[in-house]
Every structure is written in C-alpha cells, then in structure tokens.
Amino acid sequence: MPARSNDFQRLVFLVKKVLEPTATVTESKSLTDRQTGDAREVDVCIEAEVGGYPMIVSMECVDHGRRADVTWVEQMGAKHSRLPTNALVLASRSGFSKSARKLAEMSGIRLLSYESVTEHDIESTFTLTGGLWALTYELTVAKAVGVVPAAGELPGERVALNPENLSYDEHGQERGTVHQVVMSSLKDRRIGEQFAREANQTHTFFVVAIEPPRYATGERVFVQKLDPLILRPLDALEIRGPCRVSRCQFQMTRGRLGPIQLAWGSGVLDGKDAMLLAVKAEGAEPTLTLHIQGPGKEPK
C-alpha cells in the first residue's frame, strides 16, 4: 500500500475502481506541478478519454474526526490549479463545514461525504451478516494422474500424466498440453467450493479430483497411448501437491459515500492487506469484490 494511504483513502480508491471499469484509476498518483515542475501526490486519480480528449479527475481524501474546513478546501483548490486536473473531488469521512461547502460550490469543486449507517438502514440493499469470511489459496501442482476406462483388451487404469504430453478431443484434434488441462481444471467452480467448505490454514497439501475433466467448450479430454496407438478419455483427473491457505473474517461496516451505498471491512489475507467491498450505485446491481494488496502491486 502506498505510504500515505489509509483505510478511508483506500476505500474511496477501490469504490472508484469498481464503478469506473473503463477508466484508469490510480491510488497515490504523482502529477507534475506546472509552475514548479515538482511531482505532487494525488490521493486518487481517474484518467479517461471523453469525446476523444484525455481527462483527469483528481480526488483528495481526509479522514479526521471533525468536518473538513474551508482552509483544506482552499489548499486543495490552490494545489490543483497548478496540476493537470480537469475536475477535482474532495472526500471527507466526517463531512464538510458550511463555509467549506460554500467555497467548493463557488469554485466548481465536488464534495463527497461519508455517512455511517446501521445494518437496518442498508439491509434491503446488502443481505450481509456483520462478519464475512474470505479465503485465498495457492496451489502448486506436484503430480497429475488420469483415470482411463477399459478399451478392448486394455484394462481401465490410473496413468501418471506428463505435463508436456498433448491432450486431444474425441476427433483426435490436439487441444494443448496436459499442463494446460490441469491448470484449467484447477479453476473449476467445484474446486473453489470444496476449498471453501474444507480448507483451513493448517492444510499444507491438497488432493482434488475432477470427474470427468472437460475443455471450456464442454468436450471430454482424451490422452493418447502409444502402444497400441489409441485415444482414451479421461474419466477422472486427480491433481495433488503442496498448498497454502489463508482465511480472514471481515467485520463489515456500512455507510454511504455520497449517493453510493457501501459495506466494507479490512483484514489481512496471506500476510497482505485486504478489503472486502460491497458497492451499490443508483440504478445498478450491488457488487461484492475482494481486493488484495500485494507488494508494489495494484489491489486485485
């Protein structure tokens, strides 16, 4: 996470990242001061093309126990008058004073206030409990075994699969390598559901089985036996290897950021800062996303 970031700034950043999927949304972006040539940090920067022209919407966030005052609005207005900011939005967790609002209106600055709400106030929008669990897992494939049925005089058997071996469809067309089939199979919804039910942080090894594995098109996966030369379908694919599992319970806070309804909670997953975020914009369906901050990376 950038050095100046805090939970409220990050919340504003992630809300905009969710609601502006076609724009480039950056936290703690450096913009160049036109007068001094110095780099100035902006809490949240939204870059998009409007009518064929590049536009920059800059957002500054303040997380104080008191309302943001006219001095802060003046400071931010002066700062951005020298930056390539096309529109300025100021966000305050505690709202704004009357004079700050008046100055912002006269200066063409948009204000966003955060408002805490109770579970009852927002229950009709987010059917969430007070605390939600999230899980991440990392799987390393050590071995893959295929189960093939009997064919003619060949008995059914378990076959150790080489990652570089080719896989085929029922017509004998090559469809990639066994490694690609294995990695695609690990994305199967059933695997995620199994880990959600059974996995915990004490698990260091995994064994999963897909019966039968299929390509994204829904077709069965076949492997080739060389002697005798024959294609055999995989009735099952068993994958095993070491794993790392992390669970975290997020205590959800409910609120509004301007007209946007939110439920959010912070925690740590696999040693990384994480935020679980539910967003409901006017006229849109609510979304629930998990954002994990990796070292030197944008949240996912």
Side-chain angles (χ1 to χ4, degrees), residues 104-118:
E105 182 180 359
M106 294 177 60
S107 304
I109 299 172
R110 183 183 174 190
L111 303 182
L112 279 179
S113 297
Y114 178 84
E115 176 189 2
S116 295
V117 298
T118 67

Side-chain angles (χ1 to χ4, degrees), residues 55-87:
M55 299 287 290
I56 294 178
V57 177
S58 295
M59 302 187 69
E60 302 284 6
C61 308
V62 64
D63 186 5
H64 294 162
R66 62 184 185 280
R67 292 180 178 181
D69 60 19
V70 68
T71 301
W72 185 63
V73 175
E74 285 177 335
Q75 291 172 342
M76 293 300 100
K79 171 183 174 180
H80 285 271
S81 69
R82 303 192 304 272
L83 298 180
T85 295
N86 299 111

Side-chain angles (χ1 to χ4, degrees), residues 10-25 44 46 260-262 275-281 284-291 299-300:
R10 191 178 182 203
L11 174 66
V12 173
F13 162 61
L14 292 176
V15 168
K16 290 302 178 181
K17 197 171 181 69
V18 170
L19 295 180
E20 306 288 348
T22 61
T24 300
V25 185
V44 179
I46 305 169
I260 303 164
Q261 299 186 54
L262 310 171
M275 183 175 285
L276 191 63
L277 174 64
V279 176
K280 173 65 170 69
E285 292 296 317
T287 62
L288 180 65
T289 53
L290 175 64
H291 304 266
K300 295 180 179 179

Side-chain angles (χ1 to χ4, degrees), residues 80-194:
H80 285 271
S81 69
R82 303 192 304 272
L83 298 180
T85 295
N86 299 111
L88 175 60
V89 181
L90 303 182
S92 169
R93 188 162 185 169
S94 299
F96 296 85
S97 67
K98 184 177 180 180
S99 56
R101 289 185 173 278
K102 184 174 182 179
L103 176 61
E105 182 180 359
M106 294 177 60
S107 304
I109 299 172
R110 183 183 174 190
L111 303 182
L112 279 179
S113 297
Y114 178 84
E115 176 189 2
S116 295
V117 298
T118 67
E119 183 173 344
H120 179 267
D121 291 333
I122 209 165
E123 186 175 8
S124 60
T125 301
F126 301 120
T127 55
L128 304 175
T129 59
L132 293 179
W133 285 90
L135 170 139
T136 63
Y137 53 88
E138 181 177 318
L139 310 178
T140 302
V141 178
K143 186 176 182 180
V145 174
V147 178
V148 295
E153 296 181 359
L154 295 174
E157 59 182 325
R158 293 168 57 84
V159 180
L161 299 174
N162 186 315
E164 301 305 317
N165 288 157
L166 295 174
S167 69
Y168 302 83
D169 62 21
E170 63 179 326
H171 305 294
Q173 296 295 315
E174 293 181 10
R175 297 291 295 270
T177 64
V178 166
H179 173 75
Q180 291 171 320
V181 172
V182 168
M183 299 311 293
S184 176
S185 296
L186 287 177
K187 298 176 183 178
D188 190 287
R189 172 181 53 82
R190 292 169 289 180
I191 302 298
E193 292 173 350
Q194 179 182 347

